[in-house]
Amino acid sequence: MDRRTFLELLGAGGAAALVSCSSGGCTTKVLESLRPWEGPLDPAGERDIRLRLAAWALLAPSAHIKQPWVVDLRGEGIALHVDPRRLLPETDPESRQIMVSQGTFLEVLSIAATHEGVRAVIELFPEGVASSGDIGERPVAHVSLVEEKDLPEDRLFPFIRRRHTNRRRYGGPALTDEEVDRLAAAVRTGGIRFRCLRQPAEVSRAAALMTEAMRTEATTPRMHAETVGMLRFDDAESERHRDGIALPNLGLTGLRLVAARAFVNRRNASGAAFVKRTVDVTREQASSAPALGVLSSASTTRADEVEVGRAFARLHLEATALGLALHPMSQVLEIEEQKTRFVQEVLASSTDEPQMVFRLGRATATPHSPRRALATCVRPGNGAAALTAHWRTSSI
């Protein structure tokens, strides 16, 4: 098999793998970067509930799996900051997706808090909104933990560890009205609107614009380089970085995963064949979806972006509960020409501001993506080293 043959398999690889696997099952050992999904998250002797909640929140979805979070425990409660070292200046120049990722972290933390019997009271931007050049200097949110007698556990808590982004082609039956209603009900954040596109004509039109947006990204060297920089081509890269998108996360398992690691690497990922296949795969992914979801807000403030993230976290967990696959594909909102046409031609010039676009459908599960060690996200430490050591030594 040569590289051209592999690239053709890559396009088909999303539909069905020769050997399917669940979380971490594509390798003979559980990687350190995957242990947070499977090992204990509340180690014996760890009394700081804030660390336990942060460990759960690290499983939240984030743009390009950047995990752009800094958890400050130096005062009372939890102060959440953007990690300014983990921005996406080329593919997310306004840091909109980074701010959405702050919201996903906060919502998963809030859900996990109910498991601990406490309510997370979240105050956004307690010191005001930082300018784009000073992002990370001021907290995005302060979280106070309040004990509440007989607080019920959030029904979405059991799905935190099952949730994952599924980048395969989608198939199977169309979404039912009941499923769409449950997804809409999950978006309970005020001011955030969920719209589900299910008509074949509107999905097809949206898929064409999403493909053109990816073509722009893939053929713009700086943007493409940033995206490729977040791909992890082997286990060693996943272990070293503990972030990004590993090849199994693309739906490559079994012999296709072996072929991928033999013929595709960081050196040839900027070549014309890889760029072309990236665009083709985007077209196949978007066109295969029986439905597309759009989350919009009435305005365009930083708080809106965070609230969209909170709504998306709940919606993704609800999709997991329903057995649905979900894959964010928001490049169409980052390329101004395609965004304008998307609003005009797909959303019928809605006055709401689209913040996220994602596929919805059905597909075989893929492995989870890597996760950072908690100690690397916590300021100034406060026991996180012991927590990380527990993950490292726990049997799975």
Side-chain angles (χ1 to χ4, degrees):
M1 182 189 301
D2 59 18
R3 185 157 56 92
R4 181 185 297 273
T5 303
F6 163 70
L7 289 169
E8 292 303 316
L9 278 174
L10 176 61
L18 297 183
V19 179
S20 64
C21 63
S22 60
S23 304
C26 294
T27 56
T28 58
K29 61 183 180 66
V30 176
L31 302 180
E32 291 292 325
S33 56
L34 296 180
R35 282 186 182 272
W37 292 102
E38 301 192 31
L41 285 180
D42 47 353
E46 179 49 64
R47 297 182 179 179
D48 193 333
I49 186 177
R50 299 176 300 171
L51 286 172
R52 298 199 298 273
L53 296 182
W56 284 109
L58 274 176
L59 303 184
S62 61
H64 280 8
I65 325 299
K66 289 293 287 189
Q67 305 165 67
W69 307 304
V70 174
V71 179
D72 192 337
L73 305 182
R74 292 178 295 181
E76 293 294 323
I78 299 169
L80 176 66
H81 292 254
V82 173
D83 189 335
R85 302 165 299 177
R86 291 180 167 270
L87 305 181
L88 295 163
E90 302 299 335
T91 55
D92 182 31
E94 302 300 321
S95 295
R96 178 181 56 81
Q97 294 184 57
I98 293 294
M99 298 308 294
V100 168
S101 301
Q102 305 303 303
T104 62
F105 184 97
L106 290 168
E107 189 61 28
V108 173
L109 186 149
S110 178
I111 292 169
T114 66
H115 175 68
E116 296 273 0
V118 299
R119 184 176 301 280
V121 179
I122 298 171
E123 179 187 3
L124 295 184
F125 303 104
E127 299 177 13
V129 179
S131 66
S132 297
D134 295 325
I135 193 167
E137 290 297 317
R138 301 178 185 179
V140 172
H142 182 269
V143 183
S144 301
L145 302 176
V146 180
E147 291 188 18
E148 188 170 318
K149 186 178 180 181
D150 299 326
L151 178 69
E153 180 179 283
D154 193 304
R155 66 179 185 80
L156 294 177
F157 175 78
F159 302 101
I160 291 175
R161 275 183 150 164
R162 286 174 51 188
R163 184 212 62 80
H164 67 288
T165 296
N166 196 314
R167 298 173 178 83
R168 297 187 193 273
R169 292 182 193 170
Y170 291 175
L175 271 66
T176 66
D177 290 343
E178 180 183 358
E179 288 170 333
V180 174
D181 289 344
R182 282 185 56 179
L183 293 172
V187 181
R188 63 188 190 188
T189 306
I192 306 304
R193 178 189 179 195
F194 167 62
R195 179 170 175 176
C196 189
L197 309 176
R198 288 191 285 171
Q199 296 300 318
E202 61 185 359
V203 172
S204 177
R205 186 68 201 127
L209 293 171
M210 294 158 76
T211 302
E212 287 308 304
M214 177 54 76
R215 187 188 309 280
T216 299
E217 179 178 306
T219 56
T220 303
R222 293 191 307 276
M223 297 177 75
H224 184 63
E226 185 172 85
T227 299
V228 169
M230 293 307 298
L231 293 178
R232 305 296 173 235
F233 292 93
D234 55 34
D235 287 351
E237 288 194 348
S238 290
E239 292 294 78
R240 183 165 65 253
H241 297 286
R242 297 187 69 148
D243 62 6
I245 303 169
L247 294 182
N249 305 140
L250 299 174
L252 297 169
T253 53
L255 295 181
R256 288 194 174 97
L257 178 60
V258 173
R261 288 176 169 170
F263 292 100
V264 175
N265 53 53
R266 196 163 300 284
R267 292 188 302 276
N268 58 37
S270 59
F274 191 94
V275 169
K276 179 181 182 300
R277 197 62 198 140
T278 297
V279 177
D280 291 344
V281 167
T282 298
R283 178 185 301 107
E284 293 157 5
Q285 288 173 329
S287 299
S288 75
L292 298 173
V294 182
L295 285 177
S296 303
S297 58
S299 55
T300 59
T301 66
R302 286 301 199 195
D304 290 322
E305 294 166 352
V306 175
E307 294 292 1
V308 165
R310 296 189 66 179
F312 175 71
R314 295 197 68 84
L315 187 148
H316 200 169
L317 289 170
E318 185 66 64
T320 302
L322 290 167
L324 296 174
L326 187 151
H327 175 201
M329 298 184 72
S330 294
Q331 293 95 338
V332 71
L333 303 182
E334 301 296 340
I335 311 299
E336 196 58 38
E337 178 183 353
Q338 274 76 46
K339 177 182 176 181
T340 298
R341 294 177 64 188
F342 185 82
V343 171
Q344 293 175 346
E345 300 173 21
V346 179
L347 302 183
S349 297
S350 168
T351 57
D352 285 352
E353 177 72 13
Q355 300 273 17
M356 287 198 73
V357 179
F358 44 92
R359 300 191 290 151
L360 289 161
R362 307 179 200 277
T364 303
T366 60
H368 285 109
S369 55
R371 280 302 182 272
R372 299 169 61 189
L374 182 59
T376 67
C377 307
V378 173
R379 181 190 296 163
N382 289 7
L387 181 61
T388 305
H390 187 82
W391 280 345
R392 186 177 301 114
T393 58
S394 295
S395 58
I396 301 300

